[in-house]
């Protein structure tokens, strides 16, 4: 069950299908991931590790809570306003999880290393379908809501979300369509949370 979206919203906002596995587009996307796999620079590997977090850590939702906490602290929010901010951040992260995993199991698309076993990944391969990227969807939604809460930093949050999204392609566990459409989906989900926030009288 989603906080700010109905079941109809979930279906209406579901991303369009990814490339068919036998298509030329999928072949090109697989080759692109293979290139990143073979050319994993120190800079890109640092980005992969920055956002991977790893098993037993706070993962993407916690990462975005940590980012939000710094801005909430520096803004000297009251306890009530801080609680509202964390509520909005986590409402959109929850909705992103529901919508992303709905998409994953609706399309059930393979990972790059399943399309081409010669692809060596730069991080662990999650045991669920690729399309769309969870990191991208989480990050797009959180960045959108944080941009609403802190408008002067909206561009920074978007840049961080984009970096988080592309980190999964750099690590060779997601295709370009996974990360780009996931990021866009997350931003749409964040918009529903913002629509909810405008009704609570706190602005």
């Amino acid at each position: 069950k989603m906080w700010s979206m109905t079941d109809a919203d979930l279906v209406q906002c579901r991303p369009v299908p990814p490339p068919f596995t036998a298509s030329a587009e999928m072949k090109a996307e697989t080759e692109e991931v293979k290139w990143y796999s073979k050319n994993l620079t120190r800079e890109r590997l640092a980005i992969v590790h920055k956002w991977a977090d790893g098993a037993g850590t706070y993962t993407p939702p916690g990462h975005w809570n940590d980012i939000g906490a710094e801005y909430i602290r520096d803004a000297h929010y009251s306890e009530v306003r801080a609680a509202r901010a964390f509520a909005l951040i986590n409402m959109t992260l929850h909705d992103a999880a529901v919508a992303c995993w709905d998409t994953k199991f609706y399309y059930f698309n393979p990972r790059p290393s399943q399309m081409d076993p010669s692809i060596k990944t730069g991080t662990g391969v999650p045991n669920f379908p690729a399309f769309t990227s969870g990191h991208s969807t989480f990050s797009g939604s959180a960045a959108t809501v944080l941009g609403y809460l802190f408008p002067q930093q909206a561009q920074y949050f978007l840049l961080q979300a984009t970096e988080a999204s592309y980190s999964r392609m750099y690590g060779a566990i997601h295709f370009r369509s996974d990360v780009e459409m996931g990021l866009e989906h997350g931003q749409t989900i964040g918009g529903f949370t913002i629509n909810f926030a405008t009704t609570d009288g706190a602005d």
Side-chain angles (χ1 to χ4, degrees):
K1 183 175 175 60
M2 307 180 83
W3 286 100
S4 305
M5 298 173 69
T6 66
D7 289 345
D9 292 331
L10 177 69
V11 174
Q12 183 179 2
C13 295
R14 185 185 291 144
V16 297
F20 291 112
T21 53
S23 68
E25 186 179 359
M26 176 59 84
K27 182 179 179 181
E29 289 204 18
T30 303
E31 287 300 316
E32 180 182 31
V33 173
K34 191 171 184 175
W35 184 90
Y36 279 113
S37 174
K38 289 182 174 181
N39 297 276
L40 186 56
T41 63
R42 292 178 64 125
E43 180 183 12
R44 286 197 289 268
L45 184 60
I47 292 172
V48 170
H49 288 165
K50 172 184 174 180
W51 291 102
D53 296 316
T57 69
Y58 57 6
T59 67
H63 201 137
W64 281 98
N65 270 276
D66 190 48
I67 292 171
E70 295 180 17
Y71 286 87
I72 292 167
R73 177 201 63 205
D74 293 346
H76 304 292
Y77 275 7
S78 68
E79 291 180 0
V80 172
R81 188 161 287 275
R84 174 185 182 256
F86 279 117
L88 293 174
I89 293 166
N90 287 283
M91 286 166 64
T92 204
L93 287 167
H94 170 84
D95 287 359
V98 174
C100 181
W101 264 254
D102 166 79
T103 303
K104 284 180 179 292
F105 286 96
Y106 185 81
Y107 292 116
F108 221 95
N109 238 37
R111 297 274 173 177
S113 56
Q114 292 173 303
M115 290 294 296
D116 184 343
S118 72
I119 291 176
K120 182 179 179 182
T121 62
T123 187
V125 183
N127 191 26
F128 39 78
F131 184 84
T132 55
S133 157
H135 271 64
S136 305
T137 313
F138 283 130
S139 298
S141 67
T144 299
V145 170
L146 281 167
Y148 159 75
L149 293 169
F150 305 99
Q152 292 182 332
Q153 299 298 326
Q155 185 62 26
Y156 168 76
F157 296 133
L158 177 58
L159 289 172
Q160 289 295 296
T162 303
E163 181 184 83
S165 182
Y166 277 82
S167 76
R168 308 306 270 173
M169 187 169 68
Y170 299 158
I173 64 170
H174 274 293
F175 299 103
R176 179 174 292 275
S177 55
D178 299 342
V179 302
E180 291 185 347
M181 296 181 77
L183 185 62
E184 182 179 340
H185 192 200
Q187 291 171 309
T188 299
I189 294 162
F192 279 91
T193 307
I194 292 171
N195 288 341
F196 170 84
T198 60
T199 68
D200 66 6
D203 287 342

